[in-house]
Amino acid sequence: MKLAATEHKGTGQDFLLLHGLGGDRSNWDALAPELNGRAVAVDLRGHGESPDGDWDWEAVLDDLDETVVHFGLDKPVVVGHSLGGVIAGLWALRHPSCPAAVSLDGHRSATTHPENYPGLSTEDVTRSLAELNALFDAQLETITRPSRRILDVLRTSPELLDALPVFAKVTAPFLLVFAARNLPVPPELLPLSEAHRAGVRRDVPANVEVHEIDATHGLIAEQPQAVAAIVNQFVSKRFKA
């Protein structure tokens, strides 16, 4: 599948930028110019101006392979936000020679397995997850891209429910930029959000470098310059003589 893409000119390292669920390549407009190199931002299949298609992780990676070839990217650093961060990990698994991969707060779904919420009783987790899923269901009714078929696949995908086992297999340098603040949620769901964050901190694999940032999950819109600086510093360490 040929993806819609935007090239942000620059010299130095090549970057491939992957947006989150329901986003598109314009999400990178403020951040991409701050990167030390040339960056290509894509619309993933079913998003933005890219064609529709069934969601299959290998097919999604095939789309990106074709994009890399089309733009002549030389072993790009793959940077993804949310869903894109999960894909960055899968990309690094497919391409062991990947110089570095970065996930921007893409790690584990907010509605994941009950054991991923330490400190809360099973009863509290079950009740709170039912409330959170009801909120998500209402939000999904307002989304036209991607399709409901893709959304339904992703909501039950093991990789999206918990990408940390994927990250544990990555041999390339891998950075997780972790949002330290909650998105706005009803007060009764704050304990679930805090427990979710505690579970991620507990379970991040040893091979993953973590940088926490004082931002919410919308970090690339809230602090594009700060996030770009973190990415640039991580990448520059990989290429020091």
Side-chain angles (χ1 to χ4, degrees), residues 117-137:
Y117 302 89
L120 291 184
S121 69
T122 301
E123 180 181 353
D124 286 340
V125 170
T126 301
R127 183 182 63 253
S128 295
L129 284 178
E131 294 179 27
L132 186 58
N133 274 310
L135 288 176
F136 286 160
D137 287 341

Side-chain angles (χ1 to χ4, degrees), residues 129-167:
L129 284 178
E131 294 179 27
L132 186 58
N133 274 310
L135 288 176
F136 286 160
D137 287 341
Q139 291 175 348
L140 293 181
E141 294 300 325
T142 68
I143 294 176
T144 57
R145 297 279 287 170
S147 68
R148 188 57 185 259
R149 183 172 61 181
I150 288 178
L151 291 171
D152 287 344
V153 169
L154 284 172
R155 287 188 74 181
T156 59
S157 167
E159 293 84 356
L160 197 63
L161 284 173
D162 191 357
L164 298 184
V166 172
F167 296 170

Side-chain angles (χ1 to χ4, degrees), residues 91-131:
W91 170 273
L93 278 182
R94 177 184 275 204
H95 299 276
S97 62
C98 174
V102 180
S103 174
L104 304 177
D105 212 45
H107 38 67
R108 179 180 276 170
S109 171
T111 54
T112 179
H113 307 294
E115 62 268 22
N116 292 331
Y117 302 89
L120 291 184
S121 69
T122 301
E123 180 181 353
D124 286 340
V125 170
T126 301
R127 183 182 63 253
S128 295
L129 284 178
E131 294 179 27

Side-chain angles (χ1 to χ4, degrees), residues 3-6 16-19 24-25 40-44 64 67:
L3 302 180
T6 298
L16 181 64
L17 306 181
L18 313 175
H19 60 77
D24 59 52
R25 66 192 192 275
V40 172
V42 303
D43 287 344
L44 297 168
L64 299 177
T67 301

